[in-house]
Amino acid sequence: MSVTQEATQGVIPAQLLKGQKALVTGGNSGIGRATAIGLGRAGADVVVNYVAGREQAEQVVEEISGFGVRAAAYEADVSQENQVVAMIERMTQEFGTIDILVANAGLQRDAPLTEMTMAQWQKVLDVNLTGQFLCAREAAKEFLRRGVVPEVSRAAGKIICMSSVHQLIPWAGHVNYAASKGGVQMMMETLAQELAPHRIRVNAIAPGAIRTPINRSAWDTPNAEKDLLQLIPYGRVGDPEDIARAAVGLASDLMDYVVGATLYVDGGMTLFPGFATGG
Ligand code: NAD
């Protein structure tokens, strides 16, 4: 049994998302991988999007198939309009429709302001913000076409944007990343307002420090982890499964009245821990 299977077994109800079709972008690594597996455990059929690392994506598909649901790996670069359009089209053809989008794919290209190249700025905005816009737009078209199917879900569709605590906390040396996540917040809230009358729920998850390849240097030595823990009142670095469980809940009808919310899943990182003893 994999770490993700252990961390979600008995916690995620097996039938919670039965009959729903989910797409997770960047589903072959870290948070996306755990979320794709979590959705599969909850009974959803899952498309695992990847841009590189086909083997990892196939492994995730294999794990999800073990839950007796359907899964497939689709290659697409979320920052490319034609590839996103083709991906959602293929999913509606092969899976019948889409009920849940987890717009998770993201990356960092860090540099101090005066050294940041246009390419670094643009790449991060293209993937983290434009990528989420494109996936949300194409998924919403299908949600609107199909409408509510009451046996499947109370909502016509659910979009979960993977944001970050850095939609709130400024982050020196990462202006492209922080700006992209600030953009995700206002994009998510605007889409939530625009789509709610159609019974489409748009929400976001803002993870704190989660142990994945994106931030390895922040936790992979004892000293780095000690420094990081100063920022986390709950006293542990997060695991991808912490985000997976939140995503499954948010995607389900348990949270049907949650619209336009950002769920901070951060062990209290956004509680300004420096003020616990200072200020
Ligand atoms: P990760 O590097 O393990 O995963 C990122 C995934 O996105 C990878 O599968 C990568 O291939 C994919 N990706 C990158 N560019 C893509 C593109 N153009 N098209 C399709 N897929 C692409 O990192 P992660 O920590 O799992 O990150 C997932 C999301 O969570 C990101 O949006 C990240 O900003 C966010 N996040 C992570 C943390 C954390 O502490 N790990 C904290 C806050 C937010």
Side-chain angles (χ1 to χ4, degrees), residues 200-222:
I200 296 167
R201 297 195 295 114
V202 187
N203 292 287
I205 294 174
I210 311 297
R211 235 179 264 277
T212 75
I214 209 174
N215 60 354
R216 183 174 296 281
S217 62
W219 51 261
D220 77 345
T221 64

Side-chain angles (χ1 to χ4, degrees), residues 25-33 49-53 56 76-80 83 87 103-109 123 126-128 131-132 161-166 177 180-181 205-215 219 237-238 240 243 265:
T25 65
N28 60 335
S29 176
I31 289 170
R33 175 186 176 281
N49 156 257
Y50 68 98
V51 70
Q56 284 176 302
D77 179 338
V78 296
S79 67
Q80 299 301 312
Q83 295 186 34
M87 174 168 66
N104 164 79
L107 44 71
Q108 290 179 216
R109 294 286 183 270
K123 179 78 179 171
D126 284 351
V127 175
N128 294 12
Q132 292 205 12
C161 298
M162 203 55 71
S163 187
S164 164
V165 290
H166 296 296
Y177 186 83
S180 74
K181 297 299 186 180
I205 294 174
I210 311 297
R211 235 179 264 277
T212 75
I214 209 174
N215 60 354
W219 51 261
V237 177
I243 306 303
V265 185

Side-chain angles (χ1 to χ4, degrees), residues 165-183:
V165 290
H166 296 296
Q167 70 171 33
L168 179 74
I169 304 173
W171 203 19
H174 306 75
V175 65
N176 47 1
Y177 186 83
S180 74
K181 297 299 186 180

